[in-house]
Amino acid sequence: MTEPISAVNAGSSSVSEIVVKKSTLSDSTKAQLEALGIAATDGMTESEAQAKIAAAKQEQNAQNQGGEQQGNSTESELLAEAKTLAASVGVTVSSDEDLTSILDDIGAELEVMLEEAGNNPSVLSTLSSYLSDLTSLDERYDTLQTTLSEMYAAMDMQATNNKIALGLS
């Protein structure tokens, strides 16, 4: 029982494709993956590897920044970060625009970019990074607003207590 020559040729071409896929990563990319603790898998393309490297570096930067920010952020710090993110995403921001509208504009732009991205892994990893930055800014802004509301409520309570103590009300 012998196989036709075309079946043997098909099998050898499949093997050569696998060999090519195994060796698609450059040495520098492999070194970067290893340094970040990411396993290089068979069939991983250069663009997929670069996307994983970028995502890992972005995550490390976010962790480093999170460790440095011990206290609460001020609204001006959040506004500066939002303007930087807006510039990265491609959203134009006027100098007098408030933080809420900037965050809304960034979110809308990210939705448009996500629809246009399709299944491109490098674009999706970048958009994921932008989205995590936007989520972080939004959560920190909500925390700031809650803290300010609680502080103002405590100040109002103290003012009321002072008026009562002085017999002014």
Side-chain angles (χ1 to χ4, degrees):
M1 178 189 281
T2 61
E3 294 196 28
I5 293 175
S6 62
V8 172
N9 287 340
S12 65
S13 66
S14 295
V15 169
S16 65
E17 287 176 16
I18 291 171
V19 171
V20 169
K21 283 186 177 180
K22 269 189 167 180
S23 61
T24 58
L25 297 179
S26 67
D27 291 334
S28 65
T29 302
K30 288 178 186 176
Q32 286 178 332
L33 286 171
E34 289 175 12
L36 293 169
I38 301 171
T41 59
D42 292 342
M44 181 184 288
T45 64
E46 186 76 21
S47 63
E48 290 172 338
Q50 290 298 331
K52 287 186 177 192
I53 290 169
K57 286 183 178 180
Q58 184 69 28
E59 185 176 319
Q60 282 181 345
N61 288 340
Q63 288 175 353
N64 291 343
Q65 288 176 355
E68 292 170 5
Q69 295 176 352
Q70 300 274 328
N72 292 334
S73 300
T74 64
E75 189 167 355
S76 61
E77 290 171 344
L78 293 176
L79 185 61
E81 288 181 44
K83 286 182 179 181
T84 302
L85 180 59
S88 298
V89 172
V91 173
T92 56
V93 177
S94 65
S95 60
D96 63 339
E97 199 166 352
D98 69 333
L99 186 58
T100 304
S101 64
I102 293 172
L103 295 176
D104 290 343
D105 291 347
I106 293 170
E109 181 64 24
L110 287 177
E111 285 181 19
V112 170
M113 292 171 76
L114 187 59
E115 289 175 7
E116 294 173 354
N119 289 330
N120 188 343
S122 63
V123 173
L124 290 176
S125 69
T126 304
L127 291 177
S128 174
S129 169
Y130 290 153
L131 185 61
S132 66
D133 291 345
L134 176 63
T135 304
S136 171
L137 279 171
D138 193 39
E139 289 172 354
R140 289 171 37 212
Y141 182 64
D142 287 345
T143 301
L144 176 66
Q145 292 303 313
T146 302
T147 303
L148 287 175
S149 295
E150 290 170 354
M151 182 186 69
Y152 292 140
M155 289 171 66
D156 284 341
M157 178 70 75
Q158 186 63 43
T160 302
N161 287 341
N162 288 342
K163 287 179 186 177
I164 291 172
L166 295 172
L168 299 174
S169 66

